[in-house]
Amino acid sequence: MTTTSTTTRGTSSAQPSNTVEALHHQSLWTRIRRSWQIYVLLLPPVVYCILFLYWPMYGLQLAFKDFDINAGITASPWAGMKYINQFLNSYLFWPVLRNTLVLNLYGLIALFPLPIILALLLNHVRNSKFSRAVQLITYAPHFISVVVLVGIILMLFSPNTGVINIPIRAITGQPIDFLGPDMFAHTYVWSGAWQTLGFSAIIYLAALAGVDPELHEAARVDGAGILRRIWHIDLPGILPVTITLLILNMGQLLSTGFEKVLLMQTPLNTPVSQVIDTYSYQVAFNSAIPQYSYATAVGLFKSVISLVLILVANWLAGRVAKQSLF
Amino acid sequence: MKIKETAGDRTFNVVNTAILVTFTLMVLYPLIFVISASFSSAEAIANQEVYLWPVGFNTDAYATVWESPNLLSGFGNAVVYTIGGALIGTVLTVLAGYGASREDVPFRRVITIFFLIPTLVSAGIVPTYIVVKQLGLLDTRWAVLLPGAMSVFNVIITRTFYKMSIPNELLEAARVDGANDFHFFFRVAIPLSKPIIAVNLLFYGLAQWNGWFSAYLYTNDLGLAPIQLVLRQLLANSQIDPAMIGGGDVTEILKRRELFDKLKYAMIVIAMIPPLIAYPFVQKHFVKGAMIGSLK
Amino acid sequence: MNSSPLSRRRILQATLAGLGTAAVGGSIAGCAPGGGGNDPGKPSGLESVPKATLPEPRTDMLFADGYVGPYAYDRKPFGDGTKTFRIVVAQDAQVVGDWNNNKTTTEVEKRTGIKIEFVPVVVRGTDGTIDMTKINAMLAGGDLPDAFMGIPFTTAQLALYGQQGLFLPLDDYINTYSPITQKVMTDYPDLRGLKASPDGKLYTMLGVNDCYHCNSSPGRAWVNKKYLDKVGMDIPTTTEELRQVLLEFKNKNPSGKSGFLPFASSESSPMDTFFMNSFLANPGNQLPGNVAWLRLNGGKVEFTANLPEWREALKYLNQLGKDGTLTQATFTMKDTELQQNGNKGLIGFTRAYWWGSFFNPVNLDLDAPWRDYVAVPPLKGPGGVQYAWWNYYGYSTDGLQVTKKCADPGALVQWTDYIMDLDTAMWTYGGVQHENWDYAKKGDVGINGKQALVSRKLFPAPVGTGWSQYAVMYRSSDYRLAEKVDPKAPTYEAGLYEAGKKYEPFAYPQDSQLPPVILSTEDSAAAADLNTSITNEVKVSLAKFSLGQLDPNNDADWNAYLDRFTAMNLQAYVDIYQKAYDSRPQ
């Protein structure tokens, strides 16, 4: 495996070698026949997807129906765009959309590079025992539940009883309200760093395992320092994985999960902390009967927007980094 | 050949170590806190006296967990689900990831998009429940293993790995030697993909170990419940809506609340131990050049 | 309304706990088992079944004068031990243990002759709130047991599933098989209306849990008597007096500790239930169903949070904010922090449900610090208004629903009747008789000071012996308050009862409270959405007006506040509830 081919590896319209190119000139049917074994390999996961991921999607029509539990999903009466419109016209629609995008974009920009940096640093530690110990410790917070995590955040950062605010209050006379509307986004995003960095770095470590150490040797002989080597060897080596994860994360830009936000929400920070998922949760909570149709409609909205985001991200990646998913 | 380190490199190493040590200490803090809290008295926790070391040391929380019914079966179930889930998920993901990574296959774009769409569109709890029911899986172990067995996220990432690490030249060379696709997949591609296989095993195993929702939703028999569900139900039963206070129920609430305060930390510690034990086994596949070695 | 066979039976009876003439409301057409809700035919064969009657109640236990509540009867098992029914119940590994391996389950089987296979399902999340995900999935997936018991369905869900045919209408079965339920409906005449559906039918067995102090809980406030004495003031009776008390607390710091909070509350505790009721009758959003600040005014549904009196209340809170006694802490403090502050003795005055909201743990020592806190009755506002928050309709509880899958609904209805018997109910609630509970002796005193009925050793009952509170029960107020108390070891019960008594005289009139109504399915989605926007706005603006970020004295700020409600279509919300109120079953 040579360096020159790695940069073009990830593109779907790669520069194929002769035999592969030759294949593309054959008829479609011939090519299908020649690839039958690949199709066989793909069969179990495809069947799985159809059964457990695609088949339930018939439930998406609930977004356009009034759900009658006795009649079932298919036989329920149609309601048209009623629920979609209710969401789009809701008084809280723009605020929750804005808050969701702000929190998630901030989180993405701030936190996306960090696991990469961690993986790179770990990869270049000379003492492998130290590196492995750090990996082990930093991956453990992943298992701490949201409730406990927020409890720890409050214990440290609460404007009322928080430990960190004691010296701050001594110096400035006023505690910093880490949960207030000004600081909420920062507290929310960076507390995630604690918990997720070590775990997210794993995938980059796996990618770095594929970088040929001889490349580094050769570069060292040529006099390149570690930072230059990281820049020219490691980063290109993990670029495909980075782009893939970035595009996938763009598709998740509208999902925050509601638990952590809800635990950190107060009447004072609600204008910036009310996101789509907490809104959905509160609507369900405030309703005497389950709102399947409305929940499905909100979910469908999220899916459509996420699709657009992924398409844009994919196209951008193809333009800028010459790598895209499809 | 031993080459002298440049001054830049030396600085880098020092800074690197410093950063990693700082970060590790920052991350270590909540871990130590959780462990200490799980050994502290409920009163001390309520009074926020616990910051680093246990206050009012006791092992009540663990005793409670130990005595809870279904604990042993919960543990056994979790082991079954973890191993089963890791294997099923990894097999499906590797098949899908490899298959989708091949550039010479017609409809490869369709295949990739086929796997990509479920990351965006999720049908929801009720339709999935209906499907599981129609497949006759309710109240069986398969209902815990199969829904969510394969994550399309992992498929897309695995696909990227295969694209990165299996060059076309390799495929050509194998073809010249007369190998067919199956042969190439099993004899060449899989050995080369140890890191990504290790990652998948880890992620799927952890997902099952931490998981409780599928068992909660699809099974009624407590004998099928994995440990996280058993513990979670313990926790749920120890919290009471204050609106339910009335009669002598107040005593009940207090007993339950005490239990809850003690339990939530112990649960995390218990949940953390096996993954911490398992990780080093996975780690050795992330060693620099692990993949290249096999290639050579 | 009553068919003649019923009246004939009446004449033959001479029980004290007689059935009365208005047994069941309305001659509602029942359905054949398995039929949909619109089947006009009566359940097949019910007319030929002799109506169950009650013998004389047992007299081997003591009832206080004027007691209204469950009695015990000597009855033989009605089943022959061959039938088994599947009932989904709430899972509770801590108290009930294994439902199918439980002393009460065995006892009930003996007494009724019916076998039950219980299917426990978790219905609470780890934060204590109700989590019906699994139950809803089971229903939507068509995975039906014979019945549900103790599952927290909302009345709207009962109506919906009943009308859609999943649950059977039970009036005719009750008429035939459950004389105790008929008696409950006499004792609590409004009960059926609370649980019946807009189509007039009743799709659930009725349970009662009449908790006296719960009726005032969301509006209670507490003050530390010791600190009051230290600053030389009395319990405040007007809003102005409270203001002075808070100022004294702030200036003199009677606790002597740093970090003392004259007024502390958790951000999840509503303040408007206490303060606003000194300016207008305000149910807030604390009534079941989370109805957002709606009340009745002469039969018209009215929103309270944009009225001129609300503005006056905001001005009062704003003044407290300016005084520095109402601080940001009130709107940012989480429940655990409040408890920590309470434990340290840093709280002067608080708006909280009970002592456990601001103390943790709350033990029963006679000198425990929480005992220093006494309830503050409602304050009189500058306009002379002095109301207490009250819930007039809080006594109904989860019952038993029979599904369309059940082959013999009558048997389950009769089974429910049997477990509502006082003696059997004590088993379900208290565990094994003589081991964990007994009937009280003459002279034992109950919570309300009258002759006690039962005395208990341990609460809750040891695991595996009882059903906690999940059975269908008739726990009337008299029954609950007839539990023996040990005057030497007062529990919270007595204190909460006393607190409730202080609030009751000031309760706003019953016709100010919007009773529970069932929204039509079309309206419920819109109502949930509107509710979320409205609730957000009321809470956020309350905080801002109190802290001075908005000024209630400033017309521009107030009008902008009013305009926001118009922008979110508040009128539609009010209209939906008016419609539901006007068309509710009587």
Side-chain angles (χ1 to χ4, degrees):
Chain A
M1 199 157 72
T2 60
T3 331
T4 46
S5 49
T6 36
T7 42
T8 53
R9 183 61 52 224
T11 58
S12 49
S13 48
Q15 303 306 309
S17 67
N18 287 335
T19 319
V20 176
E21 196 175 58
L23 276 179
H24 282 190
H25 295 317
Q26 292 172 322
S27 80
L28 181 62
W29 184 238
T30 320
R31 286 191 289 132
I32 291 179
R33 270 192 305 141
R34 288 177 85 110
S35 307
W36 72 272
Q37 293 179 357
I38 301 292
Y39 292 128
V40 167
L41 288 181
L42 282 171
L43 193 62
V46 165
V47 165
Y48 175 87
C49 276
I50 293 179
L51 278 184
F52 289 98
L53 297 173
Y54 278 94
W55 182 3
M57 286 190 196
Y58 84 100
L60 287 174
Q61 58 186 303
L62 270 185
F64 304 103
K65 288 190 162 194
D66 285 319
F67 186 41
D68 178 333
I69 217 172
N70 207 21
I73 295 180
T74 334
S76 291
W78 289 100
M81 296 287 286
K82 173 167 111 179
Y83 294 103
I84 307 266
N85 282 335
Q86 181 181 311
F87 181 51
L88 294 178
N89 293 328
S90 167
Y91 180 76
L92 287 177
F93 174 72
W94 287 110
V96 299
L97 184 62
R98 181 198 68 218
N99 288 338
T100 309
L101 286 174
V102 163
L103 274 184
N104 280 343
L105 269 176
Y106 180 11
L108 189 64
I109 296 174
L111 297 188
F112 191 77
L114 297 182
I116 302 177
I117 297 176
L118 180 65
L120 289 170
L121 291 182
L122 280 170
N123 203 36
H124 285 279
V125 165
R126 311 260 284 301
N127 185 337
S128 82
K129 283 217 186 67
F130 175 58
S131 164
R132 290 165 68 140
V134 172
Q135 277 180 51
L136 193 64
I137 294 177
T138 56
Y139 128 106
H142 176 80
F143 302 99
I144 298 185
S145 68
V146 167
V147 171
V148 170
L149 182 75
V150 174
I152 296 177
I153 295 173
L154 288 177
M155 184 177 82
L156 296 176
F157 294 101
S158 153
N160 310 300
T161 51
V163 173
I164 304 244
N165 264 319
I166 296 181
I168 294 179
R169 211 179 315 188
I171 299 174
T172 63
Q174 279 285 18
I176 297 184
D177 188 359
F178 287 96
L179 286 187
D182 311 316
M183 295 289 292
F184 178 80
H186 305 303
T187 314
Y188 177 80
V189 166
W190 292 102
S191 59
W194 242 0
Q195 198 180 25
T196 62
L197 270 199
F199 195 79
S200 311
I202 291 181
I203 198 100
Y204 295 107
L205 285 170
L208 283 170
V211 169
D212 192 344
E214 290 199 356
L215 292 174
H216 277 283
E217 280 304 312
R220 271 213 315 186
V221 167
D222 286 348
I226 292 188
L227 284 176
R228 278 192 70 192
R229 283 190 272 135
I230 289 181
W231 185 261
H232 288 285
I233 301 174
D234 287 335
L235 283 183
I238 59 173
L239 188 65
V241 169
T242 310
I243 299 286
T244 303
L245 281 173
L246 195 57
I247 297 179
L248 286 177
N249 274 321
M250 285 298 281
Q252 299 301 305
L253 214 53
L254 289 184
S255 296
T256 51
F258 68 89
E259 265 198 283
K260 187 173 170 191
V261 178
L262 209 60
L263 286 169
M264 292 172 67
Q265 204 170 62
T266 70
L268 289 178
N269 66 29
T270 302
V272 294
S273 67
Q274 187 76 298
V275 292
I276 296 181
D277 290 336
T278 53
Y279 166 79
S280 273
Y281 176 82
Q282 280 167 353
V283 168
F285 189 75
N286 288 331
S287 171
I289 56 177
Q291 294 295 339
Y292 294 115
S293 298
Y294 192 52
T296 313
V298 175
L300 195 59
F301 169 81
K302 281 168 66 176
S303 299
V304 168
I305 303 293
S306 302
L307 180 65
V308 170
L309 286 173
I310 274 205
L311 288 174
V312 168
N314 191 57
W315 176 82
L316 263 181
R319 279 309 180 98
V320 171
K322 305 278 183 292
Q323 302 237 10
S324 60
L325 274 189
F326 54 85
Chain B
M1 173 165 57
K2 192 139 176 63
I3 299 177
K4 233 174 59 148
E5 265 188 344
T6 68
D9 281 1
R10 269 201 301 272
T11 324
F12 173 84
N13 285 327
V14 168
V15 172
N16 186 3
T17 313
I19 294 178
L20 288 178
V21 167
T22 316
F23 181 60
T24 307
L25 287 178
M26 277 172 54
V27 160
L28 206 52
Y29 174 69
L31 295 177
I32 297 184
F33 172 77
V34 167
I35 298 177
S36 294
S38 73
F39 285 109
S40 301
S41 73
E43 249 188 277
I45 297 175
N47 283 330
Q48 208 179 313
E49 290 166 17
V50 182
Y51 284 106
L52 198 57
W53 304 121
V55 176
F57 184 91
N58 66 62
T59 52
D60 289 357
Y62 294 100
T64 313
V65 171
W66 185 251
E67 288 159 11
S68 71
N70 301 112
L71 179 83
L72 281 178
S73 72
F75 200 80
N77 283 327
V79 170
V80 167
Y81 294 138
T82 301
I83 296 180
L87 287 174
I88 297 179
T90 307
V91 166
L92 288 176
T93 305
V94 165
L95 288 175
Y98 177 73
S101 73
R102 286 280 296 261
E103 290 154 16
D104 56 319
V105 169
F107 303 118
R108 62 189 171 285
R109 242 182 170 199
V110 170
I111 294 171
T112 304
I113 295 181
F114 176 82
F115 287 122
L116 192 59
I117 289 189
T119 66
L120 304 167
V121 180
S122 142
I125 295 177
V126 166
T128 316
Y129 184 91
I130 295 179
V131 165
V132 170
K133 175 165 190 273
Q134 286 173 336
L135 289 173
L137 299 178
L138 281 183
D139 235 5
T140 67
R141 287 193 197 281
W142 293 110
V144 182
L145 283 173
L146 289 182
M150 181 183 93
S151 152
V152 283
F153 274 100
N154 289 24
V155 169
I156 303 286
I157 295 175
T158 304
R159 170 183 173 271
T160 305
F161 264 80
Y162 276 118
K163 277 178 162 285
M164 279 191 334
S165 54
I166 315 273
N168 276 334
E169 294 89 18
L170 210 55
L171 181 59
E172 261 81 70
R175 281 232 171 88
V176 161
D177 283 348
N180 62 20
D181 286 325
F182 281 156
H183 191 108
F184 185 76
F185 175 65
F186 288 105
R187 298 297 183 79
V188 183
I190 294 218
L192 281 184
S193 48
K194 288 225 179 71
I196 194 62
I197 291 181
V199 166
N200 274 310
L201 283 172
L202 181 70
F203 281 11
Y204 284 123
L206 285 180
Q208 278 293 1
W209 174 256
N210 284 335
W212 54 272
F213 191 72
S214 288
Y216 158 71
L217 195 62
Y218 303 120
T219 68
N220 281 323
D221 182 358
L222 272 181
L224 295 177
I227 192 168
Q228 285 292 351
L229 182 59
V230 171
L231 292 179
R232 190 188 162 86
Q233 288 178 355
L234 206 58
L235 211 57
N237 285 152
S238 46
Q239 270 279 57
I240 293 222
D241 219 346
M244 271 181 62
I245 309 176
D249 324 342
V250 159
T251 337
E252 183 177 351
I253 291 170
L254 292 176
K255 275 183 71 171
R256 290 179 186 241
R257 184 201 274 175
E258 237 186 270
L259 185 63
F260 177 83
D261 287 339
K262 281 192 267 191
L263 272 186
K264 65 183 182 200
Y265 297 105
M267 271 173 60
I268 296 176
V269 173
I270 295 175
M272 265 202 289
I273 295 178
L276 288 178
I277 297 178
Y279 188 61
F281 294 99
V282 173
Q283 239 179 357
K284 58 176 182 255
H285 297 286
F286 300 161
V287 172
K288 243 188 288 199
M291 214 160 68
I292 313 307
S294 0
L295 177 56
K296 297 267 164 74
Chain C
M1 196 190 266
N2 302 314
S3 51
S4 39
L6 190 57
S7 321
R8 243 187 291 127
R9 293 277 171 195
R10 286 287 171 283
I11 297 166
L12 294 174
Q13 280 175 115
T15 56
L16 165 67
L19 293 177
T21 48
V24 178
S27 53
I28 300 128
C31 327
N38 300 319
D39 189 331
K42 284 191 179 290
S44 48
L46 258 196
E47 274 147 349
S48 53
V49 176
K51 302 223 185 307
T53 58
L54 291 170
E56 289 279 346
R58 283 163 49 178
T59 48
D60 51 321
M61 65 279 295
L62 298 162
F63 297 99
D65 292 330
Y67 171 85
V68 171
Y71 288 92
Y73 307 92
D74 271 321
R75 292 192 283 188
K76 299 249 185 321
F78 63 90
D80 54 7
T82 55
K83 289 200 197 147
T84 308
F85 293 94
R86 269 181 97 229
I87 303 189
V88 165
V89 286
Q91 190 180 106
D92 191 337
Q94 290 304 103
V95 178
V96 179
D98 183 353
W99 278 86
N100 291 311
N101 204 347
N102 178 297
K103 297 228 169 93
T104 292
T105 306
T106 317
E107 183 68 23
V108 167
E109 192 176 307
K110 221 169 54 176
R111 293 183 183 206
T112 59
I114 298 275
K115 282 171 128 60
I116 304 284
E117 181 202 327
F118 288 109
V119 181
V121 171
V122 174
V123 292
R124 292 211 171 258
T126 49
D127 55 357
T129 56
I130 294 175
D131 178 9
M132 293 282 280
T133 311
K134 174 138 190 202
I135 300 278
N136 287 331
M138 288 171 77
L139 287 172
D143 197 11
L144 294 179
D146 292 313
F148 291 93
M149 180 171 81
I151 301 293
F153 288 111
T154 63
T155 315
Q157 281 176 301
L158 294 175
L160 183 67
Y161 299 144
Q163 281 161 202
Q164 287 178 342
L166 283 179
F167 295 158
L168 300 179
L170 297 178
D171 289 293
D172 287 316
Y173 291 102
I174 291 175
N175 222 346
T176 308
Y177 292 105
S178 183
I180 292 186
T181 304
Q182 295 169 45
K183 177 172 178 308
V184 173
M185 290 197 276
T186 323
D187 294 341
Y188 282 82
D190 290 335
L191 178 63
R192 185 179 179 281
L194 289 179
K195 288 297 200 186
S197 300
D199 66 358
K201 300 189 189 164
L202 185 67
Y203 294 100
T204 178
M205 294 299 289
L206 298 168
V208 168
N209 188 4
D210 194 354
C211 161
Y212 178 71
H213 75 80
C214 299
N215 297 334
S216 58
S217 293
R220 283 198 291 256
W222 311 84
V223 73
N224 187 315
K225 189 84 176 58
K226 283 216 178 98
Y227 294 160
L228 262 187
D229 293 339
K230 268 230 178 85
V231 299
M233 301 200 74
D234 296 322
I235 298 181
T237 57
T238 71
T239 50
E240 188 52 37
E241 283 172 26
L242 176 66
R243 177 169 173 244
Q244 293 306 325
V245 165
L246 291 176
L247 279 169
E248 288 291 289
F249 275 167
K250 174 172 171 238
N251 297 330
K252 300 221 182 111
N253 190 350
S255 75
K257 303 184 192 155
S258 102
F260 177 68
L261 298 158
F263 175 11
S265 265
S266 131
E267 56 91 21
S268 59
S269 284
M271 291 216 296
D272 61 299
T273 48
F274 181 75
F275 290 102
M276 273 50 181
N277 274 303
S278 302
F279 294 82
L280 77 167
N282 170 42
N285 70 339
Q286 294 297 303
L287 289 172
N290 301 324
V291 180
W293 293 272
L294 293 180
R295 69 173 182 188
L296 276 186
N297 193 346
K300 287 261 152 286
V301 175
E302 194 177 42
F303 184 66
T304 58
N306 60 357
L307 295 175
E309 294 91 333
W310 187 274
R311 186 180 183 181
E312 295 305 305
L314 287 177
K315 288 184 189 169
Y316 174 69
L317 290 175
N318 182 279
Q319 180 63 58
L320 294 183
K322 290 205 190 102
D323 289 345
T325 52
L326 174 57
T327 62
Q328 214 179 35
T330 318
F331 299 103
T332 57
M333 195 176 296
K334 293 280 175 182
D335 297 337
T336 41
E337 294 176 272
L338 186 68
Q339 286 159 9
Q340 284 157 13
N341 283 323
N343 283 347
K344 296 182 198 159
L346 294 176
I347 297 181
F349 169 84
T350 181
R351 199 292 56 227
Y353 204 93
W354 71 301
W355 303 283
S357 307
F358 53 101
F359 274 95
N360 180 18
V362 195
N363 61 48
L364 286 173
D365 294 344
L366 285 172
D367 59 351
W370 61 266
R371 295 194 192 267
D372 295 336
Y373 288 84
V374 295
V376 179
L379 306 169
K380 187 184 281 200
V385 172
Q386 193 176 17
Y387 283 132
W389 188 96
W390 199 264
N391 182 3
Y392 289 94
Y393 304 101
Y395 47 83
S396 74
T397 183
D398 307 318
L400 178 133
Q401 296 83 34
V402 181
T403 71
K404 68 179 183 184
K405 193 153 161 256
C406 174
D408 190 353
L412 279 181
V413 171
Q414 194 161 17
W415 182 85
T416 310
D417 191 80
Y418 269 56
I419 65 177
M420 288 170 78
D421 173 296
L422 169 64
D423 201 63
T424 317
M426 275 311 300
W427 270 80
T428 65
Y429 183 50
V432 179
Q433 184 171 16
H434 306 311
E435 274 179 29
N436 199 41
W437 66 271
D438 265 304
Y439 289 111
K441 298 191 273 301
K442 190 130 187 78
D444 286 343
V445 177
I447 298 171
N448 57 2
K450 301 192 196 168
Q451 168 66 45
L453 174 61
V454 293
S455 73
R456 264 193 314 210
K457 291 206 181 73
L458 214 60
F459 191 81
V463 63
T465 61
W467 289 357
S468 187
Q469 297 183 53
Y470 301 112
V472 182
M473 295 191 285
Y474 177 26
R475 297 175 62 204
S476 66
S477 182
D478 286 345
Y479 161 80
R480 283 178 63 116
L481 296 173
E483 187 168 321
K484 176 176 167 210
V485 283
D486 180 356
K488 284 188 248 84
T491 65
Y492 327 96
E493 258 334 282
L496 289 174
Y497 178 69
E498 289 308 317
K501 281 228 146 311
K502 285 195 206 168
Y503 286 78
E504 188 174 10
F506 301 102
Y508 45 61
Q510 184 164 359
D511 55 19
S512 286
Q513 179 182 351
L514 180 63
V517 291
I518 298 177
L519 304 179
S520 69
T521 320
E522 300 84 56
D523 288 337
S524 73
D529 183 30
L530 289 164
N531 182 324
T532 308
S533 316
I534 293 171
T535 304
N536 260 341
E537 178 59 41
V538 173
K539 282 192 185 166
V540 170
S541 291
L542 184 84
K544 287 190 175 168
F545 276 118
S546 303
L547 294 177
Q549 292 167 19
L550 289 176
D551 186 357
N553 295 296
N554 177 326
D555 286 339
D557 280 349
W558 175 254
N559 288 329
Y561 172 69
L562 294 179
D563 290 340
R564 285 199 287 277
F565 284 117
T566 318
M568 65 180 75
N569 205 357
L570 170 68
Q571 193 56 45
Y573 188 68
V574 175
D575 291 340
I576 288 175
Y577 275 91
Q578 185 73 55
K579 193 171 98 183
Y581 176 71
D582 291 335
S583 61
R584 76 194 183 289
Q586 295 303 330

